[in-house]
Structures are given as structure tokens and as C-alpha cells.
Amino acid sequence: MELKVPPVIVFLCFGSIMYLLDLVLPIGYFDFFGRLMLAKFLVGIGMVIALLALIQFRLAKTTVDPTKPDKAQSLVISGVFKFSRNPMYLALLLILLALGIFLGNAFNTLVAAGFVAYMNRFQIIPEEQILLNKFGRSFKDYCILTRRWF
């Protein structure tokens, strides 16, 4: 499973689970003033982070394919990558959280936590091992200075 399933597919699966959970689970509904506004804000922030990360990868002329980190041409550590080693995955998480808030089911936070656990185990840790082998000390120093998610 490691690096085999593209993160966008994982994101869509977890989003579908959230939607189905909202349909079948009769408990856990919540509402608060500004709930929909917060969901829109999280989607917007997620989209901006993802766009900035994609632009930085393109400018660095390195791969954006998360299933092939060995094809990376350079280590991108500035811009949004200065604050998160995985801003694109953070963006997907923010959008999942927005979906959970939009649906208004408290149990969707558990699904979002499952997304983080899955991504850590099957995407990020294998990715980081490949990048460590490829970039050595530079990547190790980057990992010390920058958190995995935020």
C-alpha cells in the first residue's frame, strides 16, 4: 500500500466515508453560529495552501507526483514548505475538516484523524525515507526545523 494509492484518491475515499457516515449515523449532529462560514474558510485556506505548494514545486522543476518521490529533482524548503513538510496533505486535511463541519457530524473528526494516520503510515513515512536517502543531511536538517503537518 505504501506510495501506491495517490493521496487524492485517499482524500476522496475519506470524504466519501464522511458523507456516508453523515447519512447513516443518527447521532453526533452539531450546529453553531458561523459553521458554514468556517467550512468555507477552511476550504479557501486549503486551496490557497495547495496552490502555493504546487506553484513552488513547478518553479523548482521537481515532481508533484506523490507516488514517485524518488523522481524529485530538488528539495523545496521555502514558502509554505517552511511551515509544513507536507502542505498539500495539510490542504487535503483542511478540506476534509471543512466537509465534516459542513455536514455537522462530530464523528467526522474521527474520520479526519484516520486520514492523518493513513497518510502518515502509507504516504509520508515512506516518502520521507526516500527523500532522506536522496537528499541526505539537507533533508534531515529540514525535518528538524519543520514540522510534518503544521
Side-chain angles (χ1 to χ4, degrees):
M1 291 277 300
E2 293 178 349
L3 301 176
K4 300 248 187 283
V5 182
V8 170
I9 300 299
V10 174
F11 164 79
L12 291 173
C13 288
F14 276 87
S16 297
I17 291 167
M18 287 178 146
Y19 178 75
L20 292 172
L21 185 67
D22 184 59
L23 288 178
V24 299
L25 197 63
I27 59 171
Y29 181 77
F30 67 88
D31 196 9
F32 57 87
F33 177 77
R35 178 173 63 89
L36 297 180
M37 192 70 104
L38 177 59
K40 290 176 186 177
F41 176 75
L42 289 174
V43 168
I45 293 294
M47 291 175 69
V48 167
I49 290 171
L51 183 62
L52 290 172
L54 287 170
I55 289 170
Q56 284 186 261
F57 268 27
R58 292 289 184 207
L59 291 174
K61 295 179 174 55
T62 193
T63 184
V64 295
D65 185 351
T67 62
K68 296 183 173 93
D70 54 316
K71 303 259 188 237
Q73 298 297 316
S74 61
L75 187 60
V76 181
I77 61 173
S78 62
V80 291
F81 290 92
K82 186 175 181 178
F83 304 101
S84 171
R85 294 196 310 258
N86 300 285
M88 288 185 260
Y89 305 149
L90 174 61
L92 294 177
L93 174 62
L94 290 173
I95 294 169
L96 279 179
L97 290 172
L99 176 61
I101 290 170
F102 173 78
L103 294 171
N105 190 313
F107 291 99
N108 280 330
T109 57
L110 298 174
V111 178
F115 173 78
V116 171
Y118 180 93
M119 292 301 291
N120 278 335
R121 168 62 183 90
F122 294 104
Q123 185 66 39
I124 295 172
I125 291 172
E127 209 175 84
E128 287 181 344
Q129 187 58 53
I130 292 168
L131 294 174
L132 181 61
N133 292 340
K134 185 163 188 137
F135 296 108
R137 186 70 188 171
S138 297
F139 184 72
K140 195 171 193 172
D141 291 344
Y142 174 59
C143 289
I144 291 168
L145 295 173
T146 308
R147 296 178 60 101
R148 185 174 278 162
W149 285 89
F150 54 89

